[in-house]
Amino acid sequence: MNVIEIPLTQIEVGDRLRTVDPSWVEFLAASIAERGQDTPVWVRKIGRTEKYALIAGGHRIAALKEAGKTVAIASVVKATETEAQLLEIDENLIRRELTPLDRATFLARRKAVYEELHPETKQGGDRKSDQNAELCGLIPAFSEATAEKLGLSRRTIETAVQLHGLIVDDVRKVISGTWLAASGAQLMALGKLTPDQQRKVAFFTVQHPDVRNVSEIVRQLENRPKPPAPEKLERFLAFFRKCGPEEQQEIIEYAAAQMPAVACNAAWSKASEMQRQVIMEDFAPRFPGFSEKEAA
């Protein structure tokens, strides 16, 4: 990479995958005004012109302008337009401040760019020739390559790409920067709605930022009555379902010890024939004659 100073007027920012956060720009601008630009932006030369296309550093460019600067310290990268997109995406994906929505957007775009660069790895791609078959064995598929490069699990990557596909484009733009963009669970709930419902929820989110649950937003939009507060048993069952297998086992053993007769009666009355047989086989050695009495 060649690091040089470039006038801001010669750097074309273009359309960015990530919305610029004004508060972050303000923070960076204050830092630049005090200490100067610490980290170069990444750019690539546009043909034989004097212009450069921004690869990574949208917030830094905005902050430089905010701080009244006229030039940027930039690393000039030799890359095609497609390769530059991959560099932009990866530079953003390694940042920890990405919201789940941003991460899903970048990973989905990375998949498209990666498969454009390596079409032989695309599912359903042309693998008829021996050369393509050999290449396919040498070049890892998108999820595998991305997991290795970014240190994410393949499941995380595939879930994020799926999430991106569930939410329509215009909705993603509306909710970017809202609380909804930062909640993976609520984004998944949003993705289960129809495109029209998603749009209504998105605009509601902007207008009423204090309501932070997609199901509740839908209820209010449909003017349905508020459900009654859950009873104690419902609250306990909701907690129980969230526990892991070992925790559930501890809870059952503790409850059974408090009321053994009730526990045994409930287990027997709700058990299947096979489960009852298991219970009898377990209890038979402890209570002689139990199995014979049940059989009779």
Side-chain angles (χ1 to χ4, degrees):
M1 291 186 187
N2 185 23
V3 179
I4 60 174
E5 287 190 347
I6 302 174
L8 292 174
T9 54
Q10 292 178 215
I11 299 177
E12 294 187 359
V13 175
D15 293 331
R16 315 301 292 168
L17 289 175
R18 186 184 182 194
T19 305
V20 171
D21 182 353
S23 60
W24 183 238
V25 169
E26 185 178 353
F27 173 81
L28 287 177
S31 174
I32 289 171
E34 180 181 352
R35 305 188 311 170
Q37 182 186 348
D38 292 330
T39 308
V41 298
W42 292 5
V43 298
R44 67 180 182 87
K45 198 79 162 54
I46 301 177
R48 297 182 180 180
T49 69
E50 296 296 320
K51 296 285 188 178
Y52 295 83
L54 182 68
I55 296 175
H59 281 87
R60 275 163 280 168
I61 290 293
L64 285 165
K65 293 177 180 178
E66 181 78 15
K69 304 297 183 181
T70 58
V71 297
I73 300 172
S75 294
V76 182
V77 179
K78 290 183 179 180
T80 65
E81 185 175 352
T82 304
E83 290 169 340
Q85 288 183 52
L86 198 60
L87 287 171
E88 175 198 349
I89 291 165
D90 287 352
E91 199 269 347
N92 278 279
L93 279 171
I94 61 175
R95 295 181 178 277
R96 297 300 180 189
E97 72 270 14
L98 283 181
T99 65
L101 180 64
D102 284 336
R103 195 171 297 279
T105 300
F106 279 113
L107 284 170
R109 183 56 188 156
R110 189 183 204 278
K111 184 175 189 292
V113 173
Y114 185 86
E115 291 179 347
E116 183 180 342
L117 288 171
H118 308 291
E120 63 278 1
T121 66
K122 186 177 181 180
Q123 187 174 5
D126 181 13
R127 301 181 183 178
K128 294 180 182 178
S129 69
D130 292 338
Q131 184 179 11
N132 273 349
E134 185 178 350
L135 281 172
C136 195
L138 294 173
I139 302 174
F142 163 73
S143 295
E144 181 184 349
T146 304
E148 183 178 351
K149 183 174 181 63
L150 302 177
L152 300 172
S153 71
R154 292 181 62 175
R155 181 176 177 80
T156 296
I157 294 164
E158 289 162 5
T159 300
V161 172
Q162 178 192 25
L163 174 61
H164 179 271
L166 291 173
I167 300 174
V168 293
D169 292 344
D170 56 312
V171 170
R172 285 197 300 270
K173 292 176 183 177
V174 173
I175 65 175
S176 178
T178 69
W179 67 267
L180 187 49
S183 173
Q186 294 302 315
L187 285 170
M188 194 60 76
L190 179 69
K192 294 177 182 179
L193 303 178
T194 66
D196 186 52
Q197 288 176 315
Q198 288 185 25
R199 292 183 181 97
K200 291 178 180 177
V201 169
F203 287 117
F204 187 101
T205 299
V206 174
Q207 295 167 355
H208 306 280
D210 293 336
V211 184
R212 300 198 167 196
N213 183 281
V214 169
S215 296
E216 173 60 18
I217 293 172
V218 172
R219 184 195 70 78
Q220 292 190 30
L221 287 170
E222 295 178 352
N223 201 27
R224 288 187 278 108
K226 194 170 185 177
E231 298 294 332
K232 289 183 179 179
L233 177 60
E234 292 173 338
R235 292 200 298 271
F236 168 75
L237 291 176
F239 167 78
F240 183 79
R241 293 186 192 103
K242 293 178 181 178
C243 294
E246 293 183 1
E247 294 171 319
Q248 290 181 347
Q249 181 69 24
E250 289 179 5
I251 292 170
I252 292 170
E253 289 177 355
Y254 176 81
Q258 307 308 305
M259 303 180 71
V262 174
C264 288
N265 184 60
W268 183 263
S269 63
K270 297 185 178 182
S272 64
E273 287 302 319
M274 184 178 295
Q275 290 169 331
R276 287 185 178 187
Q277 184 62 39
V278 172
I279 293 172
M280 285 193 290
E281 290 174 358
D282 182 59
F283 273 86
R286 311 180 200 197
F287 297 98
F290 181 78
S291 293
E292 291 81 355
K293 188 161 94 173
E294 282 301 318

